[in-house]
Amino acid sequence: MNSTRPPWANRGEGRFFTRIEVTTMLNGAMLALPLHVVTGTRDGPTLGVITNVHGDEFLPTTVIRQLIGELDPARMRGRLAVVSVANPLATANFGRQTPEQHGRTDLHEVFPGNANGNTTQRIAATITSRLLEHVDAFVDFHSGGSGGRLQARVDYNSKAPAPVKRKSLEFSRAFGAPFVHENDLTGTASHYLNGKGIATANPEVGGAYLGPDDTAHYFRQCLTGLRNLMAALGMLPGYRIVRPKKQLLFNQKGRRELRPAHSGYLVSHYQRPQDLGKLIRKGTRLGETVDIYSYRVLEEIRAPFDGYLFFSRYSGVVGAGTQAFALAEAATSEWLR
Ligand SMILES: [Zn+2]
């Protein structure tokens, strides 16, 4: 446990909500970040969570609402502290990054931030000083933004020092997603905390505007995942972790993103959550891109090797270079049991 306690940590058991001020915006209003805190009756670790680091990734914050509503402080150990919309300016813009004039506008790349920097850096610095410095474990929760993406994995940081990397792998597995991915998280809040010896998990689950059945599927997966992580930290006495029998571990070298070379309408042949995890044989056609002007098929997208599908999207328009599908190479992936 951290010895320095932020003002919100002095509050007793129960629920608490406040807004943390960052700076004045050009429209005259104060830019502030929402902070939800649920404190259990009994002592325990502080789990920090941030969602909507990318403004158009809405699913996790709706899950947080459900989780906070159902937690019973009388049966909980420790404390859950959540910045539920980490970049309100990006969110207000329905976009991924902060709409501001200067560079460094992706909040996911600027941690621990700079209190004298641009708005994005000031947001990061505020989250660092008011949340990150006071947690014992941490979750940076991502999801697909606009564009109908299907995914169900948890990333942990390949650049973390070895002992905290091992801890982060175990913590990430506890979420219970079918895929665990070792990824370079340099510049993120998790990378900053890993440098201080704190284990972190970066779920990347579901997406926005997926339709009611798929949204409900991923909502349940996210909610179970968060309960699992709290249970893994000993915060939910009596709760049993729900996890698949096996999980696929892959790293950046074994990952291949399939990106159309042309913009157009992507016809996807893998549009269901159950499609993720399927072994796709080399040469299998995953989809094709159609020119919306001439109606010609511009390209076919085929699997470059035998691999497990871990990212897919609905049919719809895509820009050239957009990730359409992603595979974890079968030869270099590992089943964890
Ligand atoms: Zn994201």
Side-chain angles (χ1 to χ4, degrees), residues 54 57 96 142-143 204:
H54 291 134
E57 300 174 3
R96 186 175 166 86
H142 290 250
S143 179
E204 181 78 61

Side-chain angles (χ1 to χ4, degrees), residues 30-41:
M30 176 59 66
L31 172 60
L33 308 177
L35 175 70
H36 296 266
V37 181
V38 183
T39 304
T41 319

Side-chain angles (χ1 to χ4, degrees), residues 89-103:
L89 292 176
T91 297
N93 202 39
F94 291 90
R96 186 175 166 86
Q97 301 185 26
T98 324
E100 59 176 324
Q101 287 180 310
H102 303 290

Side-chain angles (χ1 to χ4, degrees), residues 137-321:
F138 178 72
V139 179
D140 180 357
F141 212 140
H142 290 250
S143 179
S146 50
R149 287 174 264 194
L150 307 176
Q151 47 195 339
R153 69 171 204 266
V154 180
D155 290 3
Y156 68 100
N157 186 13
S158 62
K159 296 292 167 66
V164 70
K165 190 158 128 180
R166 276 195 300 277
K167 271 199 310 187
S168 293
L169 170 59
E170 277 315 300
F171 188 51
S172 297
R173 288 194 67 189
F175 186 87
F179 296 98
V180 187
H181 178 32
E182 185 173 314
N183 200 0
D184 184 349
L185 298 179
T186 304
T188 66
S190 284
H191 183 73
Y192 173 72
L193 284 171
N194 291 159
K196 298 169 83 71
I198 291 173
T200 63
N202 283 36
E204 181 78 61
V205 179
Y209 308 113
L210 291 184
D213 293 344
D214 291 355
T215 297
H217 171 84
Y218 285 120
F219 187 96
R220 281 194 303 274
Q221 200 170 75
C222 292
L223 187 59
T224 302
L226 283 169
R227 289 183 190 135
N228 281 349
L229 291 179
M230 291 183 72
L233 295 169
M235 298 172 71
L236 299 178
Y239 178 86
R240 273 189 54 212
I241 294 176
V242 185
R243 195 165 91 169
K245 286 201 177 68
K246 54 181 191 172
Q247 292 168 301
L248 191 77
L249 174 66
F250 63 100
N251 60 25
Q252 282 173 290
K253 275 192 198 149
R255 156 190 186 142
R256 188 74 66 87
E257 295 174 352
L258 309 180
R259 299 173 181 273
H262 303 274
S263 305
Y265 188 89
L266 173 76
V267 178
S268 171
H269 302 310
Y270 293 86
Q271 300 197 79
R272 278 174 285 276
Q274 314 80 280
D275 289 333
L276 297 186
K278 280 184 179 165
L279 179 61
I280 309 291
R281 294 293 179 190
K282 182 180 176 178
T284 303
R285 193 166 68 173
L286 294 154
E288 56 268 348
T289 314
V290 177
D291 182 11
I292 59 170
Y293 299 93
S294 68
Y295 301 149
R296 279 192 310 123
V297 174
L298 296 170
E299 65 194 304
E300 295 179 341
I301 300 165
R302 293 183 181 273
F305 46 48
D306 289 359
Y308 297 98
L309 186 70
F310 74 87
F311 176 100
S312 190
R313 58 167 77 227
Y314 286 168
S315 296
V317 287
V318 291

